[in-house]
Amino acid sequence: MTNETGQPQRPRVVVIGSGFGGLFAVRKLKRADVDVTLIAKTTHHLFQPLLYQVATGILSEGEIAPATRLVVRKQENTRVMVGDVCGIDLAAKTVTSEAMNMQTVTPFDSLIVAAGAGQSYFGNDHFAKYAPGMKTIDDALELRGRILGAFEQAEISEDDYARERLMTFVVVGAGPTGVELAGQIAELAHRTLVGAFRRIDTRDARVILLDGADTVLPVYGGKLSASAAKKLEKMNVEIQLGAMVTNVNRDGLSVKDRDGTVREIRSQCKVWSAGVQASPLGKQLAEQSDTEIDRAGRVLVNPDLSIPGHSNVFVIGDMMALDDLPGLAQVAMQGGEYVAKNLKAEAKGRSVDERTPFKYWDKGSMATISRFNAVAKVGKIEIAGFFAWVIWLAIHLMYLVGYRSRLATLLSWSTTFFGRGRGQMTITVQQVLGRTAIDRLTGKVGTGHGDSPAQQLPPEVRADAAPPSEEHAAS
Ligand SMILES: Cc1cc2nc3c(=O)[nH]c(=O)nc-3n(C[C@H](O)[C@H](O)[C@H](O)COP(=O)(O)OP(=O)(O)OC[C@H]3O[C@@H](n4cnc5c(N)ncnc54)[C@H](O)[C@@H]3O)c2cc1C
């Protein structure tokens, strides 16, 4: 291969995304005879499965999100670039990214797209303002501010009616993330914060876990779902199943039960963990090729994870649809390593036709319910309770990137699980208001200019919020 000036050039592999898929692909290319450019919109590699612990004050963001360029510092064939990829041109073989008002066009010979998935509100994106999801470090820190901020507001509130709303926490979606988050909010209220306030008893807090489905943790089913539900109820989490959210506003949620009854739940702090939508980059690929995407925006890939008509363009992880594989870290990691292995062999001269199909090795899945309690499913083996929790602990430590992160996490866990303390209970105004402030700067909402300091708080975090408005009624 030669460049424009006729000089020999190594194949250029561009990887979009520094999550599980992207990073594992890049690391596997360490000794490959290729030049790798990793482009991601964040400068860190995020271990999403532990985000809920950042949101609830157990871990700091640094423990679960090491800087990507430090992770691959010793990998000489790799360059890391921050950038939000806004365009992929399959014909020109370029990727266009933007960062801090600078635009970069990066050419590629092979492209690995691993941009993951975002939260889905099933067509009701306006819910996001009042019920944020938890996909990024920003989300987790904002949630920490909202959860702890609600207790702080309840302490200074003079009004019983407002206090009740402030101390009602609703988690929408009873999958692993929802279960973990509800469990941890309950532990905050019933363990960590007990005795820390003078006018409220945090044990009066209501933690509601809502889902339209009939079971908690439906992917586990049967015995494990029942065990998780029982444990959550013991921890004072109210489980409401068969409940569809029809509206979310600053004061709470409207919920439709199975019998058609619509009721209101008054709650200040709402969290959404009920669905995913793949990165819009999948749509771009579909528009330029014979590639199709499914309803969740995932790209239907070939058995070698390439897209139809483009054996040099791959989609992996949460963005890909193949054989009903779930959106799990293992699927992304194994997909990334598989593609990298092929590219490495092909850089040495192996033909593209010699690729064998991607085979996923299901190592099982697990979710924690509380400290000392988890559920795990490996093939036909199902475990619930303390032993499952120990396995969960060991596996999560093993897959955290970097020796330093593992050690720091182990220390934080020791204080939280064996004592009552949590080391990351700091909240700042910027964490809670940052997103709203950015919206204001970009002209999405009013400026609040001239309001009193309390009125400058966005309505979604104000204690004196008025009765539900029609403004966000779901269609
Ligand atoms: C809260 C939570 C808990 C989870 N718990 C578990 C669990 O316990 N076990 C499990 O197996 N899985 C779990 N998952 C799922 C798992 O994290 C994902 O399946 C996995 O991260 C997918 O990897 P990925 O590389 O496809 O995407 P991601 O890890 O999401 O990485 C996507 C990357 O792409 C970047 N990016 C996105 N758009 C662009 C763009 N336009 N330009 C540039 N870069 C972009 C992002 O910044 C990020 O670096 C959890 C997910 C969440 C959100």
Side-chain angles (χ1 to χ4, degrees), residues 78-406:
T78 299
R79 178 179 179 222
V80 176
M81 244 172 64
V82 67
D84 188 343
V85 172
C86 50
I88 299 174
D89 189 330
L90 289 180
K93 292 192 179 176
T94 57
V95 165
T96 303
S97 55
E98 286 171 353
M100 293 156 277
N101 289 328
M102 287 184 281
Q103 198 175 72
T104 311
V105 177
T106 311
F108 66 81
D109 298 304
S110 298
L111 175 67
I112 304 176
V113 188
Q119 207 73 61
S120 168
Y121 288 83
F122 310 111
N124 294 302
D125 288 355
H126 51 278
F127 290 179
K129 183 174 174 188
Y130 301 107
M134 194 177 55
K135 288 282 180 190
T136 64
I137 288 288
D138 279 334
D139 294 340
L141 292 176
E142 181 179 341
L143 278 176
R144 189 199 288 171
R146 285 182 181 231
I147 295 164
L148 299 178
F151 284 112
E152 295 295 342
Q153 281 182 286
E155 172 79 356
I156 56 174
S157 173
E158 299 291 343
D159 175 357
D160 285 348
Y161 188 68
R163 203 176 299 125
E164 189 195 317
R165 187 178 73 89
L166 288 163
M167 288 183 59
T168 300
F169 299 84
V170 179
V171 179
V172 182
T177 301
V179 162
E180 288 170 340
L181 202 54
Q184 282 312 311
I185 299 175
E187 282 203 354
L188 271 174
H190 290 269
R191 196 176 145 78
T192 311
L193 295 176
V194 173
F197 290 88
R198 295 292 169 262
R199 294 180 62 187
I200 57 163
D201 183 342
T202 56
R203 287 168 294 192
D204 292 338
R206 282 179 78 194
V207 182
I208 301 172
L209 179 63
L210 261 176
D211 203 301
D214 291 330
T215 47
V216 161
L217 295 178
V219 288
Y220 293 84
K223 203 176 84 185
L224 294 185
S225 292
S227 158
K230 201 167 145 201
K231 178 68 194 169
L232 284 166
E233 275 165 350
K234 228 170 145 188
M235 294 165 68
N236 300 296
V237 174
E238 288 176 40
I239 300 172
Q240 300 184 5
L241 299 170
M244 300 292 294
V245 174
T246 57
N247 190 24
V248 183
N249 59 35
R250 63 190 178 192
D251 301 311
L253 312 93
S254 307
V255 176
K256 191 173 179 182
D257 287 318
R258 235 175 269 129
D259 61 4
T261 321
V262 177
R263 60 193 163 91
E264 306 293 324
I265 302 176
R266 293 178 63 248
S267 160
Q268 164 141 310
C269 184
K270 288 97 44 186
V271 190
W272 193 268
S273 66
V276 290
Q277 184 70 26
S279 158
L281 293 178
K283 193 164 166 245
Q284 282 200 27
L285 295 175
E287 282 163 358
Q288 297 172 55
S289 65
D290 292 333
T291 311
E292 285 177 53
I293 51 173
D294 66 12
R295 278 179 60 199
R298 297 179 313 156
V299 174
L300 274 60
V301 292
N302 293 324
D304 65 355
L305 312 192
S306 67
I307 60 170
H310 296 268
S311 60
N312 61 331
V313 177
F314 306 87
V315 177
I316 59 172
D318 281 3
M319 275 190 74
M320 85 175 187
L322 179 76
D323 301 337
D324 285 331
L325 289 175
L328 289 177
Q330 273 297 331
V331 174
M333 291 190 251
Q334 292 179 33
E337 291 189 335
Y338 162 86
V339 170
K341 223 170 113 191
N342 279 338
L343 291 178
K344 196 169 170 181
E346 285 157 24
K348 281 188 186 152
R350 200 189 74 181
S351 156
V352 171
D353 301 330
E354 289 176 61
R355 286 179 195 166
T356 53
F358 171 63
K359 248 192 175 154
Y360 173 59
W361 176 23
D362 185 358
K363 296 183 183 172
S365 51
M366 48 184 46
T368 39
I369 317 300
S370 66
R371 67 193 190 111
F372 307 146
N373 198 300
V375 291
K377 192 171 183 175
V378 187
K380 288 198 173 120
I381 304 170
E382 295 186 344
I383 321 165
F386 182 70
F387 186 50
W389 183 78
V390 173
I391 301 175
W392 174 91
L393 211 73
I395 287 182
H396 281 69
L397 270 185
M398 195 166 88
Y399 282 110
L400 264 176
V401 171
Y403 168 73
R404 210 188 150 281
S405 297
R406 282 185 209 127

Side-chain angles (χ1 to χ4, degrees), residues 183 374 376 469:
S469 63

